Amino acid sequence: MAAPRRDTRGIVDAPELFARVRFRRREPAEPLRPYLEHYWLIDWDLPEPFVSQVVPHPSVNVVFQRYEGQEPFAEISGIGLGLFTQKLEGRGRVCGIQFRPGGFRPFTPSHPATTWTGRRVRQPEAFPEAFRATDPAAILAPDDEDARVAALDAFLTGLAPRPDPQAHLAMALVDRIRTDRTIRRVTDFARAEGMSVRLLQRLFSAYVGVGPKWVILRYRIHEALERAETDRAIDWAALAADLGYADQAHLVRDFTATVGVPPTAYAEAVSVPSPPTSRA
């Protein structure tokens, strides 16, 4: 598995976020890497409130959180179907675990991935014993970043993920969608993989939590969002065609519905970001 990615895909106005918080991605222990994208760590100490927004990936996250004036807590955050918004103020810390799309199911084999879609569950019914045995404050407390990563490793290793070939198939299929721009239609993708559309949809429902069409569209928006932040001479009509849209109007409509503003307005409002840091 490669080191944690350094792109900003999904983060709305990444330059503004990175200017206000300390954001890092870290690699999990070797046995956990087949299931995880990375850990993500955020610390902040803000003189005034800041609202962060993310266009979610097709991933489940387990998140340990500490906000000023609140007791630390942990939650399962399923795939967000809309724009995720979180107000940050005062001092706080988050230690998040982002699973690969399809990678959460081996940790919760009795729950299809759709159980969590669109939900944030503080006292998860998925593995209550593990959550009862894990004190969120103990994971969040260490100032040493390596100690927090080690605590996350210990938490997940204790859950003993169950090997599941279908989960690995789902992860591989989503990764192909993410990396292969030529995948634009579910029917063509299913045929290329030697599967029926119905079988592919059932697999994604059980292991990813959303359908393959949703995943294709979401990764399109992620790329458009990143291009809007990094390319000052972007040709929107050409990008729409490159991403598989019928025309520029379709891209503008999807982008606006997801992010809240048209892509040209968004591009004018942000500056070029520095990539998030990561350490092996």
Side-chain angles (χ1 to χ4, degrees):
M1 176 180 173
R5 67 176 197 274
R6 291 174 57 82
D7 63 73
T8 63
R9 291 188 180 184
I11 302 174
V12 176
D13 201 351
E16 188 70 13
L17 176 68
F18 298 154
R20 293 174 180 266
V21 309
R22 186 164 178 249
F23 179 96
R24 292 89 68 210
R25 295 184 178 123
R26 293 290 302 272
E27 195 171 33
E30 180 70 38
L32 300 168
R33 293 175 194 173
Y35 308 102
L36 271 59
E37 293 278 7
H38 51 251
Y39 299 139
W40 49 279
L41 310 178
I42 302 179
D43 296 273
W44 65 89
D45 187 354
L46 299 171
E48 58 186 29
F50 170 71
V51 176
S52 66
Q53 294 183 311
V54 175
V55 178
H57 288 254
S59 299
V60 174
N61 287 258
V62 171
V63 192
F64 295 85
Q65 304 172 64
R66 186 179 71 200
Y67 299 94
E68 195 165 277
Q70 298 182 37
E71 290 295 318
F73 66 93
E75 70 178 5
I76 291 177
S77 181
I79 296 174
L81 301 178
L83 191 65
F84 175 85
T85 300
Q86 179 67 58
K87 183 179 181 180
L88 307 177
E89 53 188 331
R91 298 182 65 185
R93 172 172 291 170
V94 171
C95 297
I97 304 165
Q98 183 172 323
F99 292 81
R100 294 181 63 189
F104 188 59
R105 181 69 185 273
F107 293 85
T108 60
S110 61
H111 293 73
T114 49
T115 301
W116 317 109
T117 301
R119 301 176 63 203
R120 298 175 67 182
V121 186
R122 284 204 183 187
Q123 294 181 336
E125 58 264 34
F127 31 74
E129 291 184 6
F131 267 68
R132 284 199 299 268
T134 301
D135 179 7
I139 290 179
L140 292 159
D143 288 328
D144 179 69
E145 187 176 307
D146 291 339
R148 276 176 268 159
V149 170
L152 291 171
D153 283 340
F155 165 70
L156 286 175
T157 301
L159 295 176
R162 182 179 301 176
D164 186 337
Q166 289 294 96
H168 289 281
L169 174 60
M171 287 187 280
L173 292 175
V174 174
D175 197 54
R176 287 172 203 165
I177 292 173
R178 175 166 51 186
T179 57
D180 186 349
R181 266 195 201 164
T182 65
I183 298 172
R184 299 174 177 177
R185 294 172 55 86
V186 173
T187 52
D188 295 339
F189 182 50
R191 186 182 306 113
E193 296 298 329
M195 305 172 69
S196 69
V197 170
R198 184 172 180 81
L199 181 61
L200 181 66
Q201 290 172 334
R202 284 205 305 264
L203 177 70
F204 271 59
S205 176
Y207 285 87
V208 181
V210 290
K213 181 178 180 180
W214 192 95
V215 174
I216 292 170
L217 291 174
R218 179 52 53 93
Y219 282 140
R220 285 177 176 176
I221 293 300
H222 277 175
E223 182 161 353
L225 187 69
E226 186 177 49
R227 290 284 297 276
E229 291 187 349
T230 58
D231 188 346
R232 290 292 168 254
I234 189 168
D235 182 334
W236 290 105
L239 178 60
D242 197 29
L243 294 177
Y245 283 95
D247 52 39
Q248 183 177 342
H250 282 79
L251 169 59
V252 171
R253 182 183 63 207
D254 280 359
F255 191 103
T256 304
T258 305
V259 182
V261 295
T264 51
Y266 178 80
E268 291 172 359
V270 298
S271 57
V272 177
S274 299
T277 59
S278 63
R279 289 172 47 198

